[in-house]
Amino acid sequence: MSVTFDARSGIITLDTVATTYQMKLAETGHLLHLYYGRRIPGDDLTALIPRVDVSFAPDPYECRATRTFSLDVQPQEYPAANVGDFRVPALIAESADGVYGDDLRCVSHAVRPGKYALEGLPCADAGEEDCQTLAITLRDAATGLQVELLYGVYEKEDVITRAVKIVNGGDKDIVLHRASSAALDVPFGDWQLIHFQGRHAMERQMERVDLMHGIQSVGSTRGASSHHHNPFVILCGREAGEEQGECYGVMPVYSGSHRTDVELDQTGDVRLVTGIHPDMFRWTLKPGEAFTAPEVILTFTHEGMGALSRRYHRFLREHIIRGKWNHAARPVLLNNWEATYFDFNTGKILAIAEQAAALGADLLVLDDGWFGQRNDDNRALGDWFVNEEKLPGGLDALIKGVNGLGLKFGIWMEPEMVSEDSDLYRAHPDWALTVPGRKPTMGRNQLVLDMSRGDVRDYLYDTIAGLLRKHHIEYVKWDMNRNMTDVYSRALPADRQGELFHRYILGVYDLLERLTTDFPDVLWEGCSGGGGRFDAGMLRYHPQIWLSDDTDAIERLYIQHGSSFGYPVSAMGAHVSACPNHQTGRTVALGTRAVVAMSGTFGYELDPNALTDGEREQVKAQIARFKRWYDVIQNGDYYRLAAPGEGRFAAWQTVSADRGEALVSAVITHAAANLPGIHLRLRGLDPEARYEMDEMAMEGCQAIADAMYGQDAAAERPVYSGAALMYAGVTLPVMGGDYPAAQLHFTRVK
Ligand code: DGJ
């Protein structure tokens, strides 16, 4: 049993294989948090949290005489405002009488086999044998507000998911001003915060900071999870590293505006509250109505950040990403965006496709510019009919040509947007988010469609489904290229406008649910100007998401490194592009570009006709190599061996589940003279087994001296024990030049 309840002590314990999460139902009915950490066998941890009188910490009425029980210092599961806890609240509600706050006391709890579902929101799935659900209902007697705390306990995976359903059980309206998904109180310890910040074309840069007294927040008010702060944070012990140390992972399954607050309080305890961003959020619940806060995926490990990441990778692949393409081999694609931008026609695309097929690619993706008068990015979004001037004979003629070369055909769309200069906007100006009487703020000269509206979603469903039914399209890239401003819906009354940010993303989920259900064979790739909506919510619909608009291989090292803390390789769209790179102007060897892009869903974004014959041979070999190593790359356990920026190289490794195969990749980011080759200790191998290094690819090297673990680099297929590779390590040959790279492939010797 992963969930146990002791009625006498009020102790509720959630056990997974390696962790224990314990709560206590206090005599007062408050639901306290006692512990989340390494597995503990059946102890009652009540005494961990002292009951002392802390000055200026108010007491619930029944504790007024003893004065040793204050919500201001007791760790809690779901703290509400205005009842004695001055730390960050998870819930701020206002009754029709103007009463703020809720005195939440437990009324019931229930344990069910299997996993709860959340209406209208993406969440992790599970079979009955994989998960147990705990539901605890709290209630505020004064207003009738009910809060159902949901816990999904994935015993084998060491994951606990949380979500919240808030019901108006009273007889008057209640307004929610903040309805977070979870609070996690962490009493004791010296914690640091790891978060993933960035900007367009430089997303998810890992930042590790000390906590200060007060509140630190990361989040987005952009209506999308954003390039700027990913909805994923780690709280880690000061001593934590890749291989050791305590860390908590907190990953909201949400793609809209979000916020995570981390407070270090007066007593040194930490509270983390995460969920929908409370700014401009105001949700009215009529009597009997319910509001569901998005799910959060929590995990804890004492084995360092590497273990934490691998747990998320596995969990997302098993319980979030779904459908045919989750585990199926993804196609190697060639996307025409950086090859042609808007300047293409059928002939040009077919010429690209011909080369792509010859090189071994599987899919040709036609990016932006194929529809309406879309000859630049100022117009035509919304006009999802083919531009016959560019593509005479329409999509079918082109698709036939592409399919005839043995390639699948995929297409780009940006369904949530509309250009002012479009037939759609001219017909339905009220479908865009704009404020009456005010000129809208523009982003990429486009407007955002009101996805909270059923008529907008129906129109988009019919349009996209129509295209998919009519043409043989096997892949869709779903883009989203601006953030939300002028957030006002013509379809909502004044007192419901505060719901729009969240209703928008619910609308996106609704449309994606319908489309991905009705077109299960299509491979959907998410995108938002690259990685502007790269989150667990979107991964429920898109098994892969274009990681970043920055295709520079060296910048990508940082983006992929940061993204790898939470997200699996199989989710990260990564392409080899032309040099000098279009975003940075940097030149990196073609081989190195491929080594980096291979740590994602591999593809190309260049004109293969512009390659030399030699380069084409290289590309052929790269695609063949990727396909040969597909399984260990896409499904293997991921190890960060050396972080970019910390030394003069970056390195990472994937190991197959049975530890029979491993691939090590390294890129030197800073050339230096008179240094030995870089040294790496491998991870995750079987120490007892012997591994043959059956392939070694050196890319972009100007000069190579041959030294490899005491053997000649040219030696045929050297064999090492797993122990030697992990404990002694390997020293790579000296690699000179700008950004050389190496890939070492190992296979266990039978
Ligand atoms: C932004 C995407 O990230 C790019 O890959 C490309 O599809 C452009 N949009 C097209 O407008």
Side-chain angles (χ1 to χ4, degrees):
M1 279 287 280
S2 38
V3 181
T4 49
F5 177 62
D6 183 315
R8 195 187 44 80
S9 61
I11 291 291
I12 304 172
T13 306
L14 317 182
D15 282 317
T16 69
V17 172
T19 69
T20 293
Y21 187 114
Q22 197 171 91
M23 300 170 247
K24 184 178 175 81
L25 189 50
E27 334 60 89
T28 53
H30 293 103
L31 184 64
L32 306 178
H33 177 83
L34 292 182
Y35 174 76
Y36 185 25
R38 240 175 125 160
R39 171 107 186 209
I40 285 167
D43 301 69
D44 174 344
L45 298 173
T46 303
L48 206 55
I49 312 298
R51 299 231 172 151
V52 287
D53 182 4
V54 175
S55 309
F56 282 83
D59 312 289
Y61 191 76
E62 59 270 52
C63 305
R64 64 193 182 285
T66 54
R67 308 205 298 206
T68 56
F69 180 82
S70 171
L71 296 183
D72 201 22
V73 290
Q74 289 290 321
Q76 295 170 68
E77 282 297 303
Y78 199 70
N82 206 18
V83 286
D85 185 344
F86 297 105
R87 294 170 291 178
V88 191
L91 177 70
I92 304 177
E94 180 193 1
S95 77
D97 302 322
V99 175
Y100 276 88
D102 294 276
D103 186 5
L104 295 175
R105 310 282 178 124
C106 186
V107 289
S108 65
H109 77 279
V111 181
R112 298 191 287 269
K115 173 75 199 308
Y116 59 81
L118 302 179
E119 210 189 315
L121 280 164
C123 68
D125 52 36
E128 291 213 342
E129 61 296 345
D130 295 330
C131 183
Q132 256 189 325
T133 290
L134 166 69
I136 304 177
T137 304
L138 314 171
R139 186 167 181 276
D140 173 50
T143 61
L145 189 83
Q146 252 175 239
V147 173
E148 188 182 32
L149 302 180
L150 294 163
Y151 300 80
V153 187
Y154 290 78
E155 187 177 2
K156 285 204 271 309
E157 266 116 327
D158 286 316
V159 162
I160 293 174
T161 62
R162 288 186 56 179
V164 180
K165 198 168 151 193
I166 301 169
V167 180
N168 182 350
D171 53 10
K172 290 182 190 154
D173 289 3
I174 292 177
V175 174
L176 304 176
H177 295 282
R178 178 167 191 158
S180 308
S181 297
L184 180 65
D185 279 356
V186 188
F188 317 119
D190 182 11
W191 301 100
Q192 293 182 312
L193 173 67
I194 296 178
H195 66 108
F196 302 91
Q197 59 81 31
R199 59 181 185 272
H200 174 238
M202 202 52 183
E203 299 86 346
R204 289 172 295 289
Q205 301 301 296
M206 188 246 214
E207 188 168 79
R208 181 171 180 168
V209 295
D210 285 343
L211 300 188
M212 60 169 200
H213 282 93
I215 302 168
Q216 276 150 299
S217 282
V218 288
S220 157
T221 52
R222 296 168 177 268
S225 50
S226 87
H227 305 85
H228 306 76
H229 290 288
N230 195 252
F232 174 51
V233 301
I234 299 170
L235 269 187
C236 68
R238 190 170 292 281
E239 80 299 348
E242 277 297 321
E243 294 290 286
Q244 84 297 323
E246 299 195 323
C247 19
Y248 296 94
V250 178
M251 182 182 282
V253 186
Y254 194 56
S255 317
S257 296
H258 60 95
R259 191 166 94 192
T260 298
D261 292 330
V262 181
E263 178 167 6
L264 180 62
D265 75 7
Q266 55 175 332
T267 63
D269 293 348
V270 173
R271 167 170 294 170
L272 184 151
V273 175
T274 190
I276 295 174
H277 203 298
D279 284 6
M280 285 174 66
F281 174 81
R282 184 182 191 279
W283 194 283
T284 304
L285 285 178
K286 299 247 167 249
E289 281 183 355
F291 175 84
T292 305
E295 176 161 277
V296 186
I297 304 169
L298 301 177
T299 194
F300 170 86
T301 178
H302 66 282
E303 291 174 316
M305 257 99 66
L308 181 110
S309 297
R310 288 186 288 281
R311 208 175 275 170
Y312 273 109
H313 298 171
R314 261 194 301 275
F315 190 80
L316 293 180
R317 286 197 309 239
E318 292 307 318
H319 300 288
I320 289 284
I321 304 170
R322 58 186 162 161
K324 166 178 165 174
W325 288 105
N326 186 15
H327 296 295
R330 311 274 177 78
V332 172
L333 65 82
L334 195 144
N335 179 305
N336 75 305
W337 179 241
E338 288 197 18
T340 66
Y341 296 103
F342 294 102
D343 180 19
F344 61 81
N345 54 33
T346 303
K348 246 193 199 178
I349 297 298
L350 283 178
I352 289 175
E354 209 170 303
Q355 282 297 334
L359 297 174
D362 308 300
L363 166 69
L364 189 281
V365 178
L366 180 61
D367 210 280
D368 195 354
W370 59 268
F371 51 91
Q373 290 308 306
R374 184 77 170 168
N375 296 317
D376 58 36
D377 61 2
N378 284 302
R379 67 203 83 250
L381 289 174
D383 294 344
W384 301 113
F385 47 85
V386 73
N387 180 327
E388 295 247 4
E389 282 161 36
K390 285 185 180 176
L391 306 175
L395 283 176
D396 281 340
L398 177 64
I399 296 173
K400 200 166 158 230
V402 170
N403 289 166
L405 294 165
L407 295 176
K408 295 177 192 297
F409 177 81
I411 207 160
W412 176 96
M413 295 190 80
E414 193 175 358
E416 299 158 61
M417 299 289 151
V418 66
S419 304
E420 262 188 323
D421 183 3
S422 68
D423 292 352
L424 183 66
Y425 184 75
R426 283 183 280 274
H428 298 284
D430 56 320
W431 282 9
L433 298 179
T434 54
V435 172
R438 185 191 294 166
K439 287 282 179 217
T441 310
M442 303 302 278
R444 214 191 190 197
N445 205 359
Q446 64 196 50
L447 294 167
V448 183
L449 285 175
D450 182 355
M451 296 296 290
S452 74
R453 293 175 67 136
D455 50 359
V456 170
R457 297 199 300 275
D458 286 347
Y459 164 81
L460 289 174
Y461 177 87
D462 290 345
T463 305
I464 300 166
L467 278 168
L468 296 178
R469 288 204 177 100
K470 197 157 161 234
H471 309 289
H472 190 219
I473 296 171
E474 299 181 78
Y475 159 109
V476 175
K477 177 174 172 188
W478 183 293
D479 208 345
M480 193 261 192
N481 280 304
R482 65 158 291 180
N483 291 140
M484 289 162 63
T485 61
D486 304 274
V487 179
Y488 181 88
S489 169
R490 316 282 163 146
L492 288 173
D495 63 345
R496 294 279 180 167
Q497 295 292 335
E499 301 176 11
L500 186 49
F501 266 116
H502 184 55
R503 284 189 184 277
Y504 178 94
I505 207 72
L506 290 178
V508 173
Y509 290 147
D510 171 62
L511 179 59
L512 282 170
E513 184 73 37
R514 287 161 69 189
L515 286 166
T516 52
T517 305
D518 292 354
F519 298 93
D521 292 333
V522 170
L523 171 58
W524 301 84
E525 175 152 358
C527 179
S528 173
R533 222 167 39 182
F534 194 101
D535 55 68
M538 277 297 147
L539 284 174
R540 193 79 179 130
Y541 310 96
H542 301 140
Q544 59 192 58
I545 301 177
W546 180 226
L547 195 69
S548 176
D549 271 351
D550 193 341
T551 57
D552 176 307
I554 303 308
E555 299 296 274
R556 276 274 176 152
L557 289 174
Y558 293 81
I559 300 168
Q560 290 176 192
H561 173 77
S563 304
S564 78
F565 280 83
Y567 304 100
V569 164
S570 65
M572 301 185 201
H575 302 165
V576 175
S577 61
C579 274
N581 177 267
H582 294 194
Q583 293 80 42
T584 62
R586 184 190 268 137
T587 293
V588 176
L590 180 58
T592 300
R593 282 178 263 158
V595 167
V596 177
M598 260 186 224
S599 282
T601 64
F602 192 50
Y604 290 79
E605 185 152 339
L606 44 68
D607 183 354
N609 293 292
L611 298 173
T612 63
D613 288 348
E615 287 171 332
R616 270 197 285 275
E617 286 311 309
Q618 258 184 288
V619 169
K620 247 189 223 168
Q622 290 163 358
I623 294 178
R625 211 157 78 206
F626 176 72
K627 289 186 175 177
R628 218 164 39 243
W629 296 341
Y630 184 88
D631 201 51
V632 69
I633 292 175
Q634 298 289 309
N635 303 318
D637 286 337
Y638 190 88
Y639 293 84
R640 289 176 291 268
L641 302 184
E646 282 181 10
R648 65 185 189 98
F649 63 95
W652 62 99
Q653 178 195 350
T654 50
V655 182
S656 62
D658 67 356
R659 298 194 289 177
E661 192 186 354
L663 179 67
V664 179
S665 304
V667 177
I668 296 189
T669 48
H670 301 282
N674 289 327
L675 286 175
I678 59 179
H679 175 258
L680 296 171
R681 283 205 176 98
L682 273 51
R683 296 189 190 143
L685 303 176
D686 175 358
E688 305 294 325
R690 297 192 70 73
Y691 292 87
E692 179 179 79
M693 195 186 73
D694 49 11
E695 288 187 70
M696 176 159 94
M698 310 293 294
E699 303 285 0
C701 305
Q702 294 305 319
I704 300 173
D706 40 24
M708 163 94 189
Y709 196 49
Q711 304 191 29
D712 191 323
E716 286 286 296
R717 300 171 163 251
V719 175
Y720 310 108
S721 66
L725 291 169
M726 292 193 294
Y727 310 149
V730 295
T731 304
L732 300 189
V734 175
M735 298 187 283
D738 276 341
Y739 315 115
Q743 276 183 315
L744 278 52
H745 183 266
F746 296 87
T747 305
R748 187 166 44 202
V749 182
K750 298 273 181 313

